[in-house]
Amino acid sequence: MRKSIAVVVGLAILAATQAAAGAPVTEDAKREVVSKAATALADGYVYPDLGRKAGAAIQKRLDDGGYAGIADTGAFALRLTEDLQAVTHDKHMRVMDPQGQPPPGMPVGPPPRSRAGFIRVARLQGNVGYIELGGFPTPGMFKDAADAAMLAVAGTDALIIDMRGNGGGSPDAVSYLCSFFFDPAKPTHLNDLIWRERGTETFRTETFSTVAVPTHYLGKPVVLITGPRTFSGGEEFTNDLKVQKRAVVVGESTGGGANPGGTQPVGAGLFLFVPGGRAVNPITKTSWEGVGVSPDVPTSPQAAFAAGYKAALEAAKPSPVREAVKAKLAAGGAEPNAWVEASLQAPPSGPSPRSEPALRAIIADAVAGKVNYATMTPDFIKSAQPQFETAHIDIIALGALKAVMFEHVDPFGADVFRTEFEHGALEWTFFVNAEGKVAVAFYRKLPGGAA
């Protein structure tokens, strides 16, 4: 099982545990999952009556024998998801088997490598910036990468941000990236999240506005390319810029998931994503839940990049070079590769020199029964603090640390290490930002390990 020292909660479906793919599920396990899921929905779903109704629906289906023929955890998770969504019509509502097959419609295979979500930062012909953005990880990871990416494209005459594979993430990271496109002298109110106080029927409002950033991209056109896999926080970013008339949206309507929340274990190695909040745009007083964000320039998937590139070229100040590029583009669209003039930022290929020393310090502190908050980012502390005691117990039980071995860089640019102890092994996903602060740290127990 994976234990998080940091659990990212935002506008994305994120899992933080491990279960065997295709593992059999017993009738007792099904009863446990349904009971825990129904309680979690009654206590935490943003629409209390609907949460109780959804929980009652899966309990009735269980009592009527509707899950009796399901043999493994993945199939059970998929069936529960279908039953819950049939009641709530909430696209974030999902029961997840983290090591099972991805749900229908989700991409298969590892996600592309990125630097905290920035898959590619380039300059296209005609001096058009191009950013392919795969997600919005925790701000402790995201800010450094966003600062570098926006500085790299600062001298371009127009900017394309390709959001077609952006599945969302942290709403604070969304606000941070939005901030590059607005006048820093006047904060812009971007979005509100209305959160249910767990176990009650009272609500609180969390407001998101632009914040201070080191550079700005003002007075120049911005084009967002979207599709059905643009989801959750990716949709919020798109909606924020579209409503404020700061970007033109090209492509297809987005996925239609606007209710943020977090995951909870419900037994049998499964996790339930419970949407505990809902988004409200301060201008439209609505959200994109169930309908998505519609494009200003609708296109087919095959034509989306060419249409977005054309829109950026036409919106930029006229120049002979851009006219020539438009003529070439009209003769054959293709995807970005054919038009890249310079790569401005690449994903990391090896470990950060800051990671291993910081990881060793975290482990040493846990063994000593202490936590050094001065070495951590504020968002990491906020999300991880409730779990420090559990981590402390887990790590002490493993005995003396024998070895720390770098394994690989994960798709979002975090370093993955194997740590060998006297009585077992842990695999860590770990990220330290440019200020030397730990922004992400979570582990899972590995079979075997040092004797």
Side-chain angles (χ1 to χ4, degrees):
M1 173 179 288
R2 175 176 292 183
K3 277 286 184 75
S4 291
I5 291 187
V7 178
V8 180
V9 178
L11 298 178
I13 298 173
L14 301 170
T17 188
Q18 180 170 336
V25 58
T26 65
E27 295 305 309
D28 285 344
K30 291 175 191 176
R31 283 190 288 274
E32 178 190 12
V33 170
V34 168
S35 175
K36 287 184 175 179
T39 298
L41 292 168
D43 288 347
Y45 187 47
V46 65
Y47 300 107
D49 289 344
L50 203 53
R52 289 187 286 268
K53 184 177 178 182
I58 58 173
Q59 184 65 59
K60 185 176 188 306
R61 178 65 60 91
L62 177 75
D63 294 342
D64 291 346
Y67 302 129
I70 300 175
D72 69 80
T73 54
F76 184 48
L78 179 59
R79 181 60 181 273
L80 285 173
T81 297
E82 292 170 347
D83 289 347
L84 291 173
Q85 290 188 356
V87 176
T88 64
H89 305 288
D90 190 318
K91 293 190 176 182
H92 272 95
M93 181 80 71
R94 187 173 299 278
V95 180
M96 294 170 286
D97 175 12
Q99 291 299 307
Q101 293 296 315
M106 295 292 285
V108 178
R113 287 177 55 241
S114 72
R115 184 180 295 274
F118 290 85
I119 298 167
R120 178 160 34 177
V121 180
R123 185 178 65 247
L124 306 183
Q125 295 173 33
N127 200 33
V128 174
Y130 177 79
I131 293 173
E132 182 181 1
L133 188 63
F136 291 95
T138 176
M141 289 188 73
F142 187 76
K143 287 181 178 180
D144 292 341
D147 291 348
M150 293 307 299
L151 180 62
V153 300
T156 59
D157 296 319
L159 178 62
I160 298 168
I161 305 180
D162 195 334
M163 303 290 291
R164 286 177 290 179
N166 192 303
S170 163
D172 290 302
V174 171
S175 297
Y176 191 78
L177 187 59
C178 285
S179 301
F180 289 89
F181 304 104
F182 294 92
D183 183 354
K186 182 181 178 182
T188 300
H189 185 185
L190 299 167
N191 190 52
D192 288 331
L193 294 178
I194 313 300
W195 293 100
R196 180 185 174 190
E197 299 286 4
R198 185 171 176 80
T200 74
E201 297 199 13
T202 61
F203 297 82
R204 61 181 173 87
T205 299
E206 186 177 13
T207 296
F208 294 87
S209 300
T210 53
V211 297
V213 291
T215 58
H216 290 86
Y217 200 88
L218 305 177
K220 294 184 283 189
V222 178
V223 174
L224 307 181
I225 305 177
T226 61
R229 285 178 53 208
T230 310
F231 191 68
S232 195
E235 296 178 272
E236 192 217 318
F237 178 75
T238 303
N239 195 61
D240 289 349
L241 266 59
K242 178 183 177 180
V243 169
Q244 297 282 351
K245 303 188 185 305
R246 189 57 192 90
V248 172
V249 181
V250 176
E252 302 171 273
S253 291
T254 61
N259 296 336
T263 56
Q264 297 183 39
V266 288
L270 300 179
F271 272 65
L272 172 67
F273 190 96
V274 180
R278 58 185 178 88
V280 178
N281 182 274
I283 294 175
T284 66
K285 308 301 181 185
T286 63
S287 79
W288 56 94
E289 179 64 36
V291 296
V293 181
S294 60
D296 300 304
V297 182
T299 68
S300 68
Q302 297 78 13
F305 170 74
Y309 194 12
K310 179 183 177 184
L313 289 164
E314 290 180 343
K317 294 178 181 178
S319 77
V321 171
R322 277 189 278 278
E323 290 303 316
V325 175
K326 281 196 287 185
K328 286 171 58 180
L329 185 65
E335 284 290 305
N337 290 343
W339 305 95
V340 172
E341 197 168 64
S343 178
L344 305 178
Q345 179 178 303
S349 57
S352 163
R354 298 182 293 268
S355 292
E356 184 175 333
L359 173 57
R360 286 182 177 272
I362 286 265
I363 293 171
D365 285 344
V367 170
K370 63 181 183 180
V371 179
N372 186 358
Y373 293 110
T375 66
M376 304 172 184
T377 63
D379 56 295
F380 175 73
I381 294 169
K382 181 180 177 181
S383 64
Q385 197 166 17
Q387 301 172 67
F388 286 145
E389 184 176 346
T390 305
H392 162 69
I393 294 169
D394 283 349
I395 292 170
I396 285 180
L398 292 172
L401 178 64
K402 299 295 187 181
V404 177
M405 296 165 284
F406 171 74
E407 293 192 325
H408 60 272
V409 178
D410 86 348
F412 273 79
D415 294 330
V416 179
F417 292 91
R418 179 185 177 97
T419 54
E420 295 275 358
F421 296 82
E422 186 178 7
H423 304 301
L426 300 175
E427 183 182 78
W428 292 78
T429 299
F430 205 81
F431 184 86
V432 181
N433 69 12
E435 296 178 344
K437 303 285 189 179
V438 177
V440 171
F442 58 84
Y443 62 85
R444 68 184 182 98
K445 294 180 180 178
L446 296 174

